[in-house]
Amino acid sequence: MFLIAGPCAIESRDIVMHTAESLKQVCDRLGITLYFKSSYDKANRTSLSDRGVGMEKGLTILQEVKSTFNLPILTDVHESWQCMPVAEVADVLQIPAFLSRQTDLLVAAAKTGKIVNVKKGQFMAPWDMRGAIAKIEKNQVLSKEGNKAGIWLTERGSSFGYGNLVVDMTSLVKMREYGYPVVFDATHSVQQPSSQAGVTGGNREMVPHLIRAAVAVGVDGLFLEVHPEPEKAISDAANQLRLSDVEHILKQTLEIDQLIHS
């Protein structure tokens, strides 16, 4: 099992570097491959609010994380023109859930030769992801070794009425049938969209429960947004995990994963 983790948004160099160092230490102790994740721009926001540090500064900080801690990087792209410059730093380009059907964006990400992680839209059935897969497969370029970088599929909950998400665990099973690694995004799955006067709420207390359920069903990776002080975060303050809680949660996760595989 691999882990995608980091603060939701790049708020400052210090927060990112501290979080990356702490997560690397935890993952090294537990033997988990870590992909560090943070977003330079939170473009998909309900209200006009702080979006982060921007692409140029954000990529500079992510490159420092990569060089300092020898960590692969995952970050979001929102427009097709961003894919090539972001691919100079990132090892994985992530397609946000709201953009998971945007053909030009999927094609541009595929042409970078990097892994493309597609987050299933809250409005999509698991079998709808076959369309995204086909768009990427048709346009992925070969590496120097003659291989395609690959595709990841991420479950992050489905809309259930207004301001609520639910996770259909059978979605994880269904998407694994398509032959690509499936990731469970536990922190976005407990969001309560626009529930706080135009600001997204959430319930981080439910994250460990959903992780245990998803790992028992079977996933290849976990996605966790993590912050030293979540209540002060500029984005997803209500559902990001506290950095100090991550190791305990991951230990439980590994025990379940090992039991399932045994």
Side-chain angles (χ1 to χ4, degrees):
M1 182 177 296
F2 60 89
L3 175 67
I4 301 166
C8 177
I10 300 175
E11 302 172 32
S12 71
R13 174 192 174 276
D14 290 345
I15 290 175
V16 166
M17 295 298 286
H18 170 62
T19 305
E21 182 177 23
S22 299
L23 287 172
K24 178 175 171 56
Q25 291 171 352
V26 168
C27 288
D28 284 349
R29 285 194 291 269
L30 298 179
I32 298 175
T33 299
L34 171 65
Y35 289 80
F36 185 79
K37 182 270 171 187
S38 198
S39 300
Y40 53 81
D41 180 15
K42 300 303 295 183
N44 298 326
R45 305 298 293 273
T46 301
S47 57
L48 190 62
S49 54
D50 194 345
R51 291 171 48 167
V53 298
M55 190 171 80
E56 183 177 355
K57 184 175 180 180
L59 290 178
T60 299
I61 293 171
L62 291 175
Q63 180 61 59
E64 186 176 0
V65 170
K66 186 173 187 174
S67 303
T68 303
F69 304 114
N70 193 30
L71 287 173
I73 298 297
L74 178 149
T75 195
D76 300 292
V77 287
H78 297 93
E79 299 182 58
S80 56
W81 66 267
Q82 296 176 345
C83 292
M84 282 300 182
V86 170
E88 294 180 9
V89 174
D91 302 274
V92 185
L93 302 189
Q94 180 164 277
I95 308 300
F98 286 123
L99 302 176
S100 52
R101 290 171 43 167
Q102 293 296 104
T103 301
D104 289 347
L105 181 60
L106 290 164
V107 169
K111 288 182 176 179
T112 64
K114 298 300 179 79
I115 297 170
V116 181
N117 181 35
V118 186
K119 303 189 80 172
K120 181 172 74 64
Q122 301 92 320
F123 45 86
M124 292 171 66
W127 44 88
D128 291 334
M129 292 293 274
R130 290 177 297 188
I133 291 171
K135 294 173 185 179
I136 297 169
E137 284 181 333
K138 186 176 180 180
N139 291 279
Q140 271 195 322
V141 298
L142 296 177
S143 67
K144 294 179 181 178
E145 295 76 24
N147 302 315
K148 289 189 176 181
I151 304 168
W152 296 348
L153 308 175
T154 295
E155 171 63 57
R156 50 95 71 237
S158 299
S159 296
F160 187 73
Y162 297 118
N164 195 22
L165 297 172
V166 296
V167 179
D168 177 5
M169 292 296 168
T170 67
S171 174
L172 301 171
V173 179
K174 190 65 181 175
M175 286 197 294
R176 290 187 104 189
E177 295 176 2
Y178 305 144
Y180 291 103
V182 170
V183 178
F184 177 57
D185 180 348
T187 47
H188 282 107
S189 292
V190 299
Q191 279 185 336
Q192 296 168 338
S194 305
S195 63
Q196 299 179 2
V199 177
T200 293
N203 185 2
R204 74 171 56 86
E205 289 75 19
M206 296 304 295
V207 169
H209 302 287
L210 289 180
I211 289 175
R212 289 194 290 268
V215 173
V217 169
V219 291
D220 303 285
L222 285 177
F223 181 110
L224 304 174
E225 290 194 318
V226 178
H227 196 284
E229 298 179 280
E231 61 279 355
K232 296 182 180 180
I234 65 169
S235 178
D236 286 357
N239 53 274
Q240 291 197 68
L241 284 179
R242 195 172 303 279
L243 181 57
S244 58
D245 292 337
V246 170
E247 185 164 9
H248 173 68
I249 292 171
L250 289 177
K251 283 180 178 178
Q252 287 188 333
T253 301
L254 286 177
E255 290 175 2
I256 297 171
D257 187 57
Q258 290 163 5
L259 177 62
I260 295 303
H261 284 92
S262 67

